[in-house]
PDB file of all heavy atoms in Angstrom:
ATOM      1  N   VAL J   1      83.819-132.926 108.493  1.00 95.00           N
ATOM      2  CA  VAL J   1      83.134-131.839 107.749  1.00 95.00           C
ATOM      3  C   VAL J   1      82.814-130.666 108.684  1.00 95.00           C
ATOM      4  O   VAL J   1      83.317-129.563 108.494  1.00 95.00           O
ATOM      5  CB  VAL J   1      81.824-132.345 107.118  1.00 95.00           C
ATOM      6  CG1 VAL J   1      81.111-131.218 106.358  1.00 95.00           C
ATOM      7  CG2 VAL J   1      82.103-133.525 106.176  1.00 95.00           C
ATOM      8  N   ARG J   2      82.013-130.917 109.729  1.00 97.00           N
ATOM      9  CA  ARG J   2      81.537-129.810 110.531  1.00 97.00           C
ATOM     10  C   ARG J   2      81.046-130.307 111.888  1.00 97.00           C
ATOM     11  O   ARG J   2      80.549-131.419 112.033  1.00 97.00           O
ATOM     12  CB  ARG J   2      80.344-129.083 109.844  1.00 97.00           C
ATOM     13  CG  ARG J   2      79.678-127.996 110.593  1.00 97.00           C
ATOM     14  CD  ARG J   2      78.487-127.424 109.791  1.00 97.00           C
ATOM     15  NE  ARG J   2      77.786-126.383 110.514  1.00 97.00           N
ATOM     16  CZ  ARG J   2      76.777-126.618 111.374  1.00 97.00           C
ATOM     17  NH1 ARG J   2      76.356-127.877 111.572  1.00 97.00           N
ATOM     18  NH2 ARG J   2      76.177-125.612 111.969  1.00 97.00           N
ATOM     19  N   SER J   3      81.172-129.467 112.913  1.00 97.00           N
ATOM     20  CA  SER J   3      80.555-129.721 114.204  1.00 97.00           C
ATOM     21  C   SER J   3      80.079-128.391 114.792  1.00 97.00           C
ATOM     22  O   SER J   3      80.561-127.333 114.427  1.00 97.00           O
ATOM     23  CB  SER J   3      81.538-130.404 115.154  1.00 97.00           C
ATOM     24  OG  SER J   3      82.647-129.574 115.405  1.00 97.00           O
ATOM     25  N   TYR J   4      79.091-128.527 115.672  1.00 98.00           N
ATOM     26  CA  TYR J   4      78.474-127.333 116.292  1.00 98.00           C
ATOM     27  C   TYR J   4      78.150-127.710 117.724  1.00 98.00           C
ATOM     28  O   TYR J   4      77.361-128.602 117.993  1.00 98.00           O
ATOM     29  CB  TYR J   4      77.228-126.916 115.523  1.00 98.00           C
ATOM     30  CG  TYR J   4      76.649-125.607 115.937  1.00 98.00           C
ATOM     31  CD1 TYR J   4      77.085-124.429 115.339  1.00 98.00           C
ATOM     32  CD2 TYR J   4      75.676-125.505 116.931  1.00 98.00           C
ATOM     33  CE1 TYR J   4      76.529-123.181 115.704  1.00 98.00           C
ATOM     34  CE2 TYR J   4      75.111-124.272 117.286  1.00 98.00           C
ATOM     35  CZ  TYR J   4      75.564-123.144 116.683  1.00 98.00           C
ATOM     36  OH  TYR J   4      75.044-121.891 117.040  1.00 98.00           O
ATOM     37  N   PHE J   5      78.775-127.026 118.654  1.00 98.00           N
ATOM     38  CA  PHE J   5      78.584-127.280 120.089  1.00 98.00           C
ATOM     39  C   PHE J   5      78.159-126.010 120.800  1.00 98.00           C
ATOM     40  O   PHE J   5      78.711-124.925 120.537  1.00 98.00           O
ATOM     41  CB  PHE J   5      79.879-127.821 120.717  1.00 98.00           C
ATOM     42  CG  PHE J   5      80.473-129.017 120.040  1.00 98.00           C
ATOM     43  CD1 PHE J   5      81.849-129.166 119.929  1.00 98.00           C
ATOM     44  CD2 PHE J   5      79.655-130.000 119.519  1.00 98.00           C
ATOM     45  CE1 PHE J   5      82.397-130.300 119.320  1.00 98.00           C
ATOM     46  CE2 PHE J   5      80.188-131.134 118.865  1.00 98.00           C
ATOM     47  CZ  PHE J   5      81.546-131.270 118.786  1.00 98.00           C
ATOM     48  N   LYS J   6      77.202-126.116 121.700  1.00 98.00           N
ATOM     49  CA  LYS J   6      76.662-124.955 122.404  1.00 98.00           C
ATOM     50  C   LYS J   6      77.288-124.805 123.786  1.00 98.00           C
ATOM     51  O   LYS J   6      77.675-125.795 124.392  1.00 98.00           O
ATOM     52  CB  LYS J   6      75.144-125.095 122.520  1.00 98.00           C
ATOM     53  CG  LYS J   6      74.387-125.071 121.199  1.00 98.00           C
ATOM     54  CD  LYS J   6      72.903-125.203 121.384  1.00 98.00           C
ATOM     55  CE  LYS J   6      72.155-125.143 120.082  1.00 98.00           C
ATOM     56  NZ  LYS J   6      70.679-125.292 120.271  1.00 98.00           N
ATOM     57  N   ARG J   7      77.320-123.575 124.260  1.00 98.00           N
ATOM     58  CA  ARG J   7      77.921-123.285 125.538  1.00 98.00           C
ATOM     59  C   ARG J   7      77.226-124.025 126.661  1.00 98.00           C
ATOM     60  O   ARG J   7      76.012-124.118 126.727  1.00 98.00           O
ATOM     61  CB  ARG J   7      77.873-121.772 125.797  1.00 98.00           C
ATOM     62  CG  ARG J   7      78.533-121.347 127.122  1.00 98.00           C
ATOM     63  CD  ARG J   7      78.456-119.828 127.272  1.00 98.00           C
ATOM     64  NE  ARG J   7      79.086-119.461 128.544  1.00 98.00           N
ATOM     65  CZ  ARG J   7      78.424-119.396 129.686  1.00 98.00           C
ATOM     66  NH1 ARG J   7      77.130-119.680 129.735  1.00 98.00           N
ATOM     67  NH2 ARG J   7      79.014-119.051 130.799  1.00 98.00           N
ATOM     68  N   ASN J   8      78.040-124.566 127.562  1.00 98.00           N
ATOM     69  CA  ASN J   8      77.532-125.223 128.810  1.00 98.00           C
ATOM     70  C   ASN J   8      77.249-124.146 129.842  1.00 98.00           C
ATOM     71  O   ASN J   8      78.154-123.529 130.378  1.00 98.00           O
ATOM     72  CB  ASN J   8      78.587-126.211 129.314  1.00 98.00           C
ATOM     73  CG  ASN J   8      78.195-126.841 130.620  1.00 98.00           C
ATOM     74  OD1 ASN J   8      77.076-126.699 131.103  1.00 98.00           O
ATOM     75  ND2 ASN J   8      79.145-127.588 131.223  1.00 98.00           N
ATOM     76  N   PRO J   9      75.986-123.882 130.184  1.00 96.00           N
ATOM     77  CA  PRO J   9      75.635-122.813 131.121  1.00 96.00           C
ATOM     78  C   PRO J   9      76.110-123.099 132.520  1.00 96.00           C
ATOM     79  O   PRO J   9      76.164-122.209 133.352  1.00 96.00           O
ATOM     80  CB  PRO J   9      74.106-122.707 131.027  1.00 96.00           C
ATOM     81  CG  PRO J   9      73.663-124.073 130.613  1.00 96.00           C
ATOM     82  CD  PRO J   9      74.751-124.586 129.695  1.00 96.00           C
ATOM     83  N   ASN J  10      76.436-124.346 132.824  1.00 96.00           N
ATOM     84  CA  ASN J  10      76.820-124.759 134.161  1.00 96.00           C
ATOM     85  C   ASN J  10      78.276-125.140 134.255  1.00 96.00           C
ATOM     86  O   ASN J  10      78.677-125.951 135.106  1.00 96.00           O
ATOM     87  CB  ASN J  10      75.929-125.920 134.651  1.00 96.00           C
ATOM     88  CG  ASN J  10      74.451-125.568 134.622  1.00 96.00           C
ATOM     89  OD1 ASN J  10      74.070-124.514 135.135  1.00 96.00           O
ATOM     90  ND2 ASN J  10      73.665-126.431 134.027  1.00 96.00           N
ATOM     91  N   TYR J  11      79.103-124.568 133.379  1.00 98.00           N
ATOM     92  CA  TYR J  11      80.503-124.956 133.326  1.00 98.00           C
ATOM     93  C   TYR J  11      81.190-124.604 134.667  1.00 98.00           C
ATOM     94  O   TYR J  11      81.047-123.492 135.189  1.00 98.00           O
ATOM     95  CB  TYR J  11      81.214-124.265 132.156  1.00 98.00           C
ATOM     96  CG  TYR J  11      82.560-124.839 131.851  1.00 98.00           C
ATOM     97  CD1 TYR J  11      82.781-126.222 131.976  1.00 98.00           C
ATOM     98  CD2 TYR J  11      83.566-124.048 131.312  1.00 98.00           C
ATOM     99  CE1 TYR J  11      84.035-126.751 131.647  1.00 98.00           C
ATOM    100  CE2 TYR J  11      84.812-124.553 130.959  1.00 98.00           C
ATOM    101  CZ  TYR J  11      85.035-125.929 131.144  1.00 98.00           C
ATOM    102  OH  TYR J  11      86.278-126.472 130.806  1.00 98.00           O
ATOM    103  N   TRP J  12      81.990-125.535 135.134  1.00 98.00           N
ATOM    104  CA  TRP J  12      82.589-125.407 136.482  1.00 98.00           C
ATOM    105  C   TRP J  12      83.813-124.500 136.529  1.00 98.00           C
ATOM    106  O   TRP J  12      84.195-124.044 137.567  1.00 98.00           O
ATOM    107  CB  TRP J  12      82.959-126.798 137.032  1.00 98.00           C
ATOM    108  CG  TRP J  12      83.951-127.535 136.166  1.00 98.00           C
ATOM    109  CD1 TRP J  12      83.672-128.308 135.099  1.00 98.00           C
ATOM    110  CD2 TRP J  12      85.367-127.572 136.349  1.00 98.00           C
ATOM    111  NE1 TRP J  12      84.853-128.841 134.563  1.00 98.00           N
ATOM    112  CE2 TRP J  12      85.893-128.397 135.335  1.00 98.00           C
ATOM    113  CE3 TRP J  12      86.248-126.998 137.274  1.00 98.00           C
ATOM    114  CZ2 TRP J  12      87.266-128.655 135.213  1.00 98.00           C
ATOM    115  CZ3 TRP J  12      87.603-127.235 137.152  1.00 98.00           C
ATOM    116  CH2 TRP J  12      88.093-128.051 136.114  1.00 98.00           C
ATOM    117  N   LYS J  13      84.448-124.270 135.395  1.00 96.00           N
ATOM    118  CA  LYS J  13      85.609-123.405 135.364  1.00 96.00           C
ATOM    119  C   LYS J  13      85.219-121.919 135.366  1.00 96.00           C
ATOM    120  O   LYS J  13      84.478-121.512 134.495  1.00 96.00           O
ATOM    121  CB  LYS J  13      86.514-123.673 134.135  1.00 96.00           C
ATOM    122  CG  LYS J  13      87.210-124.996 134.132  1.00 96.00           C
ATOM    123  CD  LYS J  13      88.164-125.054 132.945  1.00 96.00           C
ATOM    124  CE  LYS J  13      88.759-126.418 132.733  1.00 96.00           C
ATOM    125  NZ  LYS J  13      89.701-126.471 131.602  1.00 96.00           N
ATOM    126  N   PRO J  14      85.748-121.131 136.299  1.00 93.00           N
ATOM    127  CA  PRO J  14      85.444-119.692 136.265  1.00 93.00           C
ATOM    128  C   PRO J  14      86.154-119.060 135.100  1.00 93.00           C
ATOM    129  O   PRO J  14      87.256-119.409 134.701  1.00 93.00           O
ATOM    130  CB  PRO J  14      85.969-119.204 137.597  1.00 93.00           C
ATOM    131  CG  PRO J  14      87.077-120.173 137.933  1.00 93.00           C
ATOM    132  CD  PRO J  14      86.632-121.510 137.412  1.00 93.00           C
ATOM    133  N   ASN J  15      85.480-118.050 134.488  1.00 92.00           N
ATOM    134  CA  ASN J  15      86.076-117.279 133.417  1.00 92.00           C
ATOM    135  C   ASN J  15      86.559-118.136 132.241  1.00 92.00           C
ATOM    136  O   ASN J  15      87.659-117.990 131.734  1.00 92.00           O
ATOM    137  CB  ASN J  15      87.228-116.439 133.941  1.00 92.00           C
ATOM    138  CG  ASN J  15      86.795-115.454 135.019  1.00 92.00           C
ATOM    139  OD1 ASN J  15      85.785-114.796 134.881  1.00 92.00           O
ATOM    140  ND2 ASN J  15      87.558-115.383 136.109  1.00 92.00           N
ATOM    141  N   ARG J  16      85.702-119.038 131.841  1.00 96.00           N
ATOM    142  CA  ARG J  16      85.950-119.860 130.662  1.00 96.00           C
ATOM    143  C   ARG J  16      84.657-120.066 129.889  1.00 96.00           C
ATOM    144  O   ARG J  16      83.558-119.870 130.440  1.00 96.00           O
ATOM    145  CB  ARG J  16      86.523-121.229 131.063  1.00 96.00           C
ATOM    146  CG  ARG J  16      87.912-121.160 131.640  1.00 96.00           C
ATOM    147  CD  ARG J  16      88.952-120.840 130.573  1.00 96.00           C
ATOM    148  NE  ARG J  16      90.288-120.897 131.115  1.00 96.00           N
ATOM    149  CZ  ARG J  16      90.960-119.876 131.619  1.00 96.00           C
ATOM    150  NH1 ARG J  16      90.369-118.671 131.687  1.00 96.00           N
ATOM    151  NH2 ARG J  16      92.181-119.999 132.069  1.00 96.00           N
ATOM    152  N   ALA J  17      84.737-120.460 128.621  1.00 97.00           N
ATOM    153  CA  ALA J  17      83.586-120.724 127.771  1.00 97.00           C
ATOM    154  C   ALA J  17      82.732-119.457 127.644  1.00 97.00           C
ATOM    155  O   ALA J  17      81.597-119.407 128.116  1.00 97.00           O
ATOM    156  CB  ALA J  17      82.814-121.879 128.259  1.00 97.00           C
ATOM    157  N   PHE J  18      83.257-118.461 126.925  1.00 98.00           N
ATOM    158  CA  PHE J  18      82.562-117.172 126.827  1.00 98.00           C
ATOM    159  C   PHE J  18      81.575-117.126 125.678  1.00 98.00           C
ATOM    160  O   PHE J  18      80.557-116.458 125.752  1.00 98.00           O
ATOM    161  CB  PHE J  18      83.609-116.065 126.603  1.00 98.00           C
ATOM    162  CG  PHE J  18      84.631-115.991 127.715  1.00 98.00           C
ATOM    163  CD1 PHE J  18      85.920-116.462 127.527  1.00 98.00           C
ATOM    164  CD2 PHE J  18      84.295-115.438 128.937  1.00 98.00           C
ATOM    165  CE1 PHE J  18      86.872-116.391 128.549  1.00 98.00           C
ATOM    166  CE2 PHE J  18      85.237-115.387 129.976  1.00 98.00           C
ATOM    167  CZ  PHE J  18      86.501-115.851 129.787  1.00 98.00           C
ATOM    168  N   VAL J  19      81.857-117.836 124.570  1.00 98.00           N
ATOM    169  CA  VAL J  19      80.988-117.703 123.417  1.00 98.00           C
ATOM    170  C   VAL J  19      79.760-118.597 123.562  1.00 98.00           C
ATOM    171  O   VAL J  19      79.792-119.611 124.301  1.00 98.00           O
ATOM    172  CB  VAL J  19      81.729-118.089 122.094  1.00 98.00           C
ATOM    173  CG1 VAL J  19      82.888-117.102 121.879  1.00 98.00           C
ATOM    174  CG2 VAL J  19      82.292-119.505 122.127  1.00 98.00           C
ATOM    175  N   ASP J  20      78.694-118.261 122.852  1.00 98.00           N
ATOM    176  CA  ASP J  20      77.462-119.004 122.943  1.00 98.00           C
ATOM    177  C   ASP J  20      77.583-120.377 122.299  1.00 98.00           C
ATOM    178  O   ASP J  20      76.905-121.340 122.680  1.00 98.00           O
ATOM    179  CB  ASP J  20      76.329-118.261 122.292  1.00 98.00           C
ATOM    180  CG  ASP J  20      75.926-117.011 123.050  1.00 98.00           C
ATOM    181  OD1 ASP J  20      76.146-116.965 124.267  1.00 98.00           O
ATOM    182  OD2 ASP J  20      75.432-116.031 122.422  1.00 98.00           O
ATOM    183  N   ALA J  21      78.418-120.480 121.268  1.00 98.00           N
ATOM    184  CA  ALA J  21      78.586-121.762 120.538  1.00 98.00           C
ATOM    185  C   ALA J  21      79.896-121.715 119.783  1.00 98.00           C
ATOM    186  O   ALA J  21      80.455-120.648 119.522  1.00 98.00           O
ATOM    187  CB  ALA J  21      77.415-122.005 119.602  1.00 98.00           C
ATOM    188  N   VAL J  22      80.350-122.911 119.398  1.00 98.00           N
ATOM    189  CA  VAL J  22      81.557-123.056 118.586  1.00 98.00           C
ATOM    190  C   VAL J  22      81.176-123.903 117.354  1.00 98.00           C
ATOM    191  O   VAL J  22      80.607-124.985 117.501  1.00 98.00           O
ATOM    192  CB  VAL J  22      82.685-123.727 119.336  1.00 98.00           C
ATOM    193  CG1 VAL J  22      83.920-123.856 118.456  1.00 98.00           C
ATOM    194  CG2 VAL J  22      83.034-122.981 120.613  1.00 98.00           C
ATOM    195  N   GLU J  23      81.514-123.395 116.201  1.00 98.00           N
ATOM    196  CA  GLU J  23      81.338-124.136 114.969  1.00 98.00           C
ATOM    197  C   GLU J  23      82.726-124.471 114.379  1.00 98.00           C
ATOM    198  O   GLU J  23      83.551-123.555 114.200  1.00 98.00           O
ATOM    199  CB  GLU J  23      80.525-123.359 113.954  1.00 98.00           C
ATOM    200  CG  GLU J  23      80.277-124.122 112.651  1.00 98.00           C
ATOM    201  CD  GLU J  23      79.403-123.336 111.663  1.00 98.00           C
ATOM    202  OE1 GLU J  23      79.316-122.097 111.796  1.00 98.00           O
ATOM    203  OE2 GLU J  23      78.841-123.969 110.760  1.00 98.00           O
ATOM    204  N   VAL J  24      82.973-125.731 114.121  1.00 98.00           N
ATOM    205  CA  VAL J  24      84.214-126.176 113.550  1.00 98.00           C
ATOM    206  C   VAL J  24      83.955-126.569 112.111  1.00 98.00           C
ATOM    207  O   VAL J  24      83.129-127.448 111.824  1.00 98.00           O
ATOM    208  CB  VAL J  24      84.837-127.337 114.324  1.00 98.00           C
ATOM    209  CG1 VAL J  24      86.096-127.862 113.592  1.00 98.00           C
ATOM    210  CG2 VAL J  24      85.168-126.949 115.748  1.00 98.00           C
ATOM    211  N   LEU J  25      84.668-125.978 111.181  1.00 98.00           N
ATOM    212  CA  LEU J  25      84.621-126.343 109.765  1.00 98.00           C
ATOM    213  C   LEU J  25      85.934-126.999 109.416  1.00 98.00           C
ATOM    214  O   LEU J  25      87.012-126.394 109.597  1.00 98.00           O
ATOM    215  CB  LEU J  25      84.391-125.120 108.895  1.00 98.00           C
ATOM    216  CG  LEU J  25      83.112-124.319 109.158  1.00 98.00           C
ATOM    217  CD1 LEU J  25      83.060-123.079 108.292  1.00 98.00           C
ATOM    218  CD2 LEU J  25      81.856-125.173 108.898  1.00 98.00           C
ATOM    219  N   VAL J  26      85.904-128.217 108.937  1.00 96.00           N
ATOM    220  CA  VAL J  26      87.130-128.937 108.575  1.00 96.00           C
ATOM    221  C   VAL J  26      87.528-128.477 107.174  1.00 96.00           C
ATOM    222  O   VAL J  26      86.811-128.693 106.196  1.00 96.00           O
ATOM    223  CB  VAL J  26      86.933-130.445 108.601  1.00 96.00           C
ATOM    224  CG1 VAL J  26      88.232-131.152 108.146  1.00 96.00           C
ATOM    225  CG2 VAL J  26      86.545-130.897 110.002  1.00 96.00           C
ATOM    226  N   ILE J  27      88.679-127.796 107.093  1.00 95.00           N
ATOM    227  CA  ILE J  27      89.210-127.274 105.802  1.00 95.00           C
ATOM    228  C   ILE J  27      90.658-127.714 105.747  1.00 95.00           C
ATOM    229  O   ILE J  27      91.567-126.994 106.194  1.00 95.00           O
ATOM    230  CB  ILE J  27      89.075-125.737 105.741  1.00 95.00           C
ATOM    231  CG1 ILE J  27      87.680-125.271 106.138  1.00 95.00           C
ATOM    232  CG2 ILE J  27      89.437-125.246 104.354  1.00 95.00           C
ATOM    233  CD1 ILE J  27      87.523-123.744 106.222  1.00 95.00           C
ATOM    234  N   ASN J  28      90.885-128.847 105.159  1.00 90.00           N
ATOM    235  CA  ASN J  28      92.246-129.402 105.176  1.00 90.00           C
ATOM    236  C   ASN J  28      93.153-128.708 104.149  1.00 90.00           C
ATOM    237  O   ASN J  28      94.382-128.707 104.337  1.00 90.00           O
ATOM    238  CB  ASN J  28      92.183-130.921 104.857  1.00 90.00           C
ATOM    239  CG  ASN J  28      91.699-131.719 106.054  1.00 90.00           C
ATOM    240  OD1 ASN J  28      92.027-131.446 107.190  1.00 90.00           O
ATOM    241  ND2 ASN J  28      90.861-132.705 105.778  1.00 90.00           N
ATOM    242  N   ASP J  29      92.605-128.137 103.135  1.00 89.00           N
ATOM    243  CA  ASP J  29      93.418-127.443 102.122  1.00 89.00           C
ATOM    244  C   ASP J  29      93.864-126.104 102.697  1.00 89.00           C
ATOM    245  O   ASP J  29      93.077-125.240 103.118  1.00 89.00           O
ATOM    246  CB  ASP J  29      92.592-127.224 100.873  1.00 89.00           C
ATOM    247  CG  ASP J  29      93.417-126.490  99.787  1.00 89.00           C
ATOM    248  OD1 ASP J  29      94.252-127.160  99.141  1.00 89.00           O
ATOM    249  OD2 ASP J  29      93.258-125.252  99.625  1.00 89.00           O
ATOM    250  N   ALA J  30      95.191-125.863 102.673  1.00 89.00           N
ATOM    251  CA  ALA J  30      95.761-124.673 103.286  1.00 89.00           C
ATOM    252  C   ALA J  30      95.281-123.387 102.625  1.00 89.00           C
ATOM    253  O   ALA J  30      95.010-122.383 103.303  1.00 89.00           O
ATOM    254  CB  ALA J  30      97.309-124.725 103.268  1.00 89.00           C
ATOM    255  N   THR J  31      95.206-123.379 101.297  1.00 92.00           N
ATOM    256  CA  THR J  31      94.746-122.172 100.595  1.00 92.00           C
ATOM    257  C   THR J  31      93.288-121.854 100.899  1.00 92.00           C
ATOM    258  O   THR J  31      92.945-120.693 101.178  1.00 92.00           O
ATOM    259  CB  THR J  31      94.945-122.381  99.078  1.00 92.00           C
ATOM    260  OG1 THR J  31      96.311-122.650  98.779  1.00 92.00           O
ATOM    261  CG2 THR J  31      94.473-121.135  98.308  1.00 92.00           C
ATOM    262  N   ALA J  32      92.454-122.894 100.895  1.00 95.00           N
ATOM    263  CA  ALA J  32      91.044-122.676 101.213  1.00 95.00           C
ATOM    264  C   ALA J  32      90.869-122.188 102.661  1.00 95.00           C
ATOM    265  O   ALA J  32      90.011-121.360 102.955  1.00 95.00           O
ATOM    266  CB  ALA J  32      90.273-123.973 100.981  1.00 95.00           C
ATOM    267  N   ARG J  33      91.658-122.749 103.530  1.00 96.00           N
ATOM    268  CA  ARG J  33      91.598-122.358 104.955  1.00 96.00           C
ATOM    269  C   ARG J  33      91.994-120.888 105.115  1.00 96.00           C
ATOM    270  O   ARG J  33      91.330-120.126 105.835  1.00 96.00           O
ATOM    271  CB  ARG J  33      92.523-123.283 105.775  1.00 96.00           C
ATOM    272  CG  ARG J  33      92.257-123.306 107.237  1.00 96.00           C
ATOM    273  CD  ARG J  33      92.929-124.520 107.891  1.00 96.00           C
ATOM    274  NE  ARG J  33      94.349-124.595 107.748  1.00 96.00           N
ATOM    275  CZ  ARG J  33      95.016-125.456 107.008  1.00 96.00           C
ATOM    276  NH1 ARG J  33      94.304-126.335 106.268  1.00 96.00           N
ATOM    277  NH2 ARG J  33      96.319-125.487 106.955  1.00 96.00           N
ATOM    278  N   THR J  34      93.058-120.498 104.466  1.00 96.00           N
ATOM    279  CA  THR J  34      93.509-119.090 104.522  1.00 96.00           C
ATOM    280  C   THR J  34      92.445-118.179 103.926  1.00 96.00           C
ATOM    281  O   THR J  34      92.156-117.107 104.513  1.00 96.00           O
ATOM    282  CB  THR J  34      94.838-118.936 103.759  1.00 96.00           C
ATOM    283  OG1 THR J  34      95.808-119.825 104.315  1.00 96.00           O
ATOM    284  CG2 THR J  34      95.353-117.506 103.832  1.00 96.00           C
ATOM    285  N   ASN J  35      91.855-118.513 102.806  1.00 97.00           N
ATOM    286  CA  ASN J  35      90.822-117.664 102.193  1.00 97.00           C
ATOM    287  C   ASN J  35      89.605-117.574 103.072  1.00 97.00           C
ATOM    288  O   ASN J  35      88.958-116.499 103.104  1.00 97.00           O
ATOM    289  CB  ASN J  35      90.455-118.240 100.827  1.00 97.00           C
ATOM    290  CG  ASN J  35      91.558-118.042  99.770  1.00 97.00           C
ATOM    291  OD1 ASN J  35      92.411-117.156  99.937  1.00 97.00           O
ATOM    292  ND2 ASN J  35      91.564-118.887  98.737  1.00 97.00           N
ATOM    293  N   ALA J  36      89.276-118.642 103.781  1.00 98.00           N
ATOM    294  CA  ALA J  36      88.135-118.584 104.701  1.00 98.00           C
ATOM    295  C   ALA J  36      88.325-117.577 105.786  1.00 98.00           C
ATOM    296  O   ALA J  36      87.394-116.895 106.222  1.00 98.00           O
ATOM    297  CB  ALA J  36      87.862-119.966 105.282  1.00 98.00           C
ATOM    298  N   LEU J  37      89.568-117.481 106.282  1.00 98.00           N
ATOM    299  CA  LEU J  37      89.884-116.484 107.276  1.00 98.00           C
ATOM    300  C   LEU J  37      89.832-115.040 106.734  1.00 98.00           C
ATOM    301  O   LEU J  37      89.233-114.147 107.312  1.00 98.00           O
ATOM    302  CB  LEU J  37      91.262-116.749 107.909  1.00 98.00           C
ATOM    303  CG  LEU J  37      91.728-115.741 108.944  1.00 98.00           C
ATOM    304  CD1 LEU J  37      90.884-115.804 110.216  1.00 98.00           C
ATOM    305  CD2 LEU J  37      93.213-116.009 109.298  1.00 98.00           C
ATOM    306  N   ILE J  38      90.479-114.851 105.582  1.00 97.00           N
ATOM    307  CA  ILE J  38      90.558-113.507 104.992  1.00 97.00           C
ATOM    308  C   ILE J  38      89.148-113.011 104.652  1.00 97.00           C
ATOM    309  O   ILE J  38      88.826-111.813 104.857  1.00 97.00           O
ATOM    310  CB  ILE J  38      91.431-113.508 103.758  1.00 97.00           C
ATOM    311  CG1 ILE J  38      92.889-113.843 104.129  1.00 97.00           C
ATOM    312  CG2 ILE J  38      91.369-112.230 102.996  1.00 97.00           C
ATOM    313  CD1 ILE J  38      93.810-114.063 102.970  1.00 97.00           C
TER     314      ILE J  38
END
């Protein structure tokens, strides 16, 4: 369904993980997925 992960402030890779958080919405239907983007 959904996940929400917050940025790791101590990430060891330089110049990675720029956003404050990532939200994943599971949208298996191709039409619904496309409409969500548009």
Side-chain angles (χ1 to χ4, degrees):
V1 180
R2 176 183 178 271
S3 62
Y4 190 88
F5 305 143
K6 295 180 178 179
R7 182 178 179 272
N8 175 9
N10 302 311
Y11 195 33
W12 60 274
K13 291 186 187 180
N15 299 316
R16 292 289 185 267
F18 302 104
V19 298
D20 292 333
V22 181
E23 182 177 20
V24 175
L25 301 175
V26 178
I27 311 175
N28 287 320
D29 181 79
T31 301
R33 198 163 60 251
T34 302
N35 289 337
L37 177 67
I38 294 172

